[in-house]
Amino acid sequence: MSERSACINAIGCATPGQDVHIPFIRWASEQLKDERARSLFLRMAERSGIDHRWSVLPSVEGGSPVDPGGFYAEGMPSTSRRMKLYQRYAPALALKAIDALKSKADIGAITHLVVASCTGFVAPGIDQIIADALGLTNVERTLVGFMGCYAAVAALRTARHIVRSEPTARVLVVTVELSSLHLQAEQQLERLLMMLQFGDGAAAALVSAQHSGFAMETPFSINLAESADLIRWEIGDTGFIMHLSGEVPGRIQTALRDESVRQRLCGEAEPAMIGNWAVHAGGRSILDAVENGLDLTDNALAVSRGVLARHGNMSSATLMFILADLLEQERHGQGVALAFGPGVAAEGFRFSRAG
């Protein structure tokens, strides 16, 4: 058993067509009545490292979902209305990512389907909807829900365990998040800056014993002490409400300076010797905290920063986009995948190029 490996053979990614980043900045700045707060928000938005964020919400004549005629134009829709859109758009975006995967790998003979999503609920589940659309009539399904940004790690780790126990297994792993369905009416600077990070995206990966792509190695899971209130999701009457404390980057940076934590992430290697870092792009401050906490070089997280710039934080899908970019670059050497989420928890695994 210990000699068996599980590999991420290929990853396909998809985003919607509506770029909402600039319209959101305009809308959010209008919510701030204090001129100093508005100026600070605009400066922080300029420094966010984000150029684009995409939404499944349909464009309207003249503009975005916050413009006249858009989904948010007449106030904050109910959670039930938002979930109806999740049921409509989440499977479609997931299937778009699976189509992108098909261009990179043969996804025939899928035995298991693992789906991660924290931005919506529907029953029959999104895993069932995807399986039906693909004609997977005899497939074992697992749904990873409401785990937040590190759910991709949980999904890939589940696939790894399946393949290591069943070497003939071919696992389709899907992450799909529609964060733009959860815009909230806010006038607080900190909360508007938090919403500035998020966009929609989906990714699909093939995990099998075939020795190609990235071989997943030792997983790890770390909970930061007394941090449960720093990242939270709550189901409200008008969507899911996220709480993200400004303390999170500092707590992460401090935790990563601990030698025992570094060893769990990197094994016997020094962080600076790791050539491939796939760090969840939760925001510029999160990437800065990881870079500083692990004493990494200025370009060590360039791939993560590139995904942040092009797509923002897509919750669980983000890490898959970063791994996809690393795969495309044919990077060799040791790698570490790392993501953060509610808890505050750090989840991840080591990986290396297979073949």
Side-chain angles (χ1 to χ4, degrees):
M1 176 73 74
S2 61
E3 299 302 317
R4 294 175 180 168
S5 63
C7 298
I8 304 170
N9 302 135
I11 300 175
C13 301
T15 51
Q18 168 88 309
D19 188 348
V20 294
H21 188 57
I22 298 304
F24 172 84
I25 291 174
R26 183 185 68 246
W27 173 84
S29 66
E30 292 171 353
Q31 310 309 303
L32 296 166
K33 307 308 178 186
D34 180 76
E35 184 61 36
R36 294 180 64 181
R38 186 183 304 114
S39 296
L40 178 57
F41 173 82
L42 292 173
R43 287 200 304 272
M44 295 295 287
E46 182 70 24
R47 298 176 55 196
S48 67
I50 301 171
D51 298 325
H52 307 280
R53 291 179 297 124
W54 307 92
S55 173
V56 296
L57 291 169
S59 59
V60 293
E61 185 175 352
S64 74
V66 294
D67 291 317
F71 185 62
Y72 295 110
E74 304 301 328
M76 293 295 105
S78 66
T79 302
S80 62
R81 284 188 62 196
R82 298 175 195 234
M83 289 304 95
K84 287 179 181 177
L85 292 184
Y86 177 86
Q87 182 175 3
R88 175 180 176 183
Y89 290 116
L93 189 59
L95 291 168
K96 184 178 177 182
I98 294 169
D99 282 341
L101 175 61
K102 289 177 181 178
S103 69
K104 300 178 181 182
D106 177 7
I107 65 166
I110 295 297
T111 60
H112 298 73
L113 173 63
V114 182
V115 180
S117 186
C118 73
T119 48
F121 293 104
V122 61
I126 188 172
D127 56 318
Q128 291 174 278
I129 297 170
I130 293 170
D132 287 345
L134 295 176
L136 300 175
T137 57
N138 185 23
V139 63
E140 296 183 30
R141 293 177 287 101
T142 301
L143 180 61
V144 178
F146 225 55
M147 291 188 75
C149 295
Y150 56 66
V153 174
L156 290 168
R157 185 174 58 209
T158 299
R160 175 179 181 267
H161 291 316
I162 291 169
V163 170
R164 280 166 55 85
S165 63
E166 300 180 35
T168 61
R170 291 170 56 81
V171 186
L172 178 60
V173 177
V174 178
T175 57
V176 55
E177 303 290 7
L178 307 186
S179 301
S180 70
L181 295 185
H182 300 289
L183 184 73
Q184 300 295 322
E186 291 288 351
Q187 288 79 42
Q188 298 180 40
L189 174 63
E190 185 179 63
R191 293 192 60 76
L192 289 168
L193 287 170
M194 177 197 69
M195 288 191 288
L196 174 72
Q197 310 290 327
F198 290 94
D200 300 350
L206 176 64
V207 177
S208 76
Q210 178 184 334
H211 204 59
S212 66
F214 286 147
M216 288 185 284
E217 299 170 5
T218 308
F220 56 81
S221 179
I222 302 165
N223 283 333
L224 277 61
E226 299 179 358
S227 63
D229 287 337
L230 300 185
I231 302 178
R232 295 181 290 115
W233 275 92
E234 296 174 356
I235 300 177
D237 294 334
T238 56
F240 300 171
I241 303 169
M242 187 177 188
H243 301 270
L244 179 61
S245 170
E247 297 179 32
V248 171
R251 290 292 302 275
I252 288 173
Q253 180 169 315
T254 299
L256 293 178
R257 293 196 177 280
D258 187 286
E259 285 300 324
S260 64
V261 171
R262 290 186 176 204
Q263 188 170 34
R264 291 175 73 177
L265 268 63
C266 305
E268 298 303 317
E270 289 295 323
M273 300 303 294
I274 301 294
N276 296 309
W277 283 96
V279 178
H280 168 69
R284 177 182 173 182
S285 61
I286 297 294
L287 295 177
D288 289 347
V290 173
E291 190 175 275
N292 295 328
L294 292 174
D295 299 313
L296 300 177
T297 60
D298 290 344
N299 66 345
L301 304 184
V303 175
S304 294
R305 294 186 190 277
V307 169
L308 180 68
R310 300 193 307 272
H311 307 292
N313 179 350
M314 300 167 286
S315 192
S316 71
T318 312
L319 186 68
M320 296 269 274
F321 274 64
I322 296 164
L323 288 167
D325 280 2
L326 288 171
L327 278 170
E328 290 294 324
Q329 294 177 18
E330 298 185 357
R331 303 278 281 265
H332 291 265
Q334 188 68 39
V336 174
L338 174 64
F340 305 95
V344 173
E347 302 269 351
F349 55 87
R350 294 196 286 274
F351 63 90
S352 60
R353 174 66 65 169

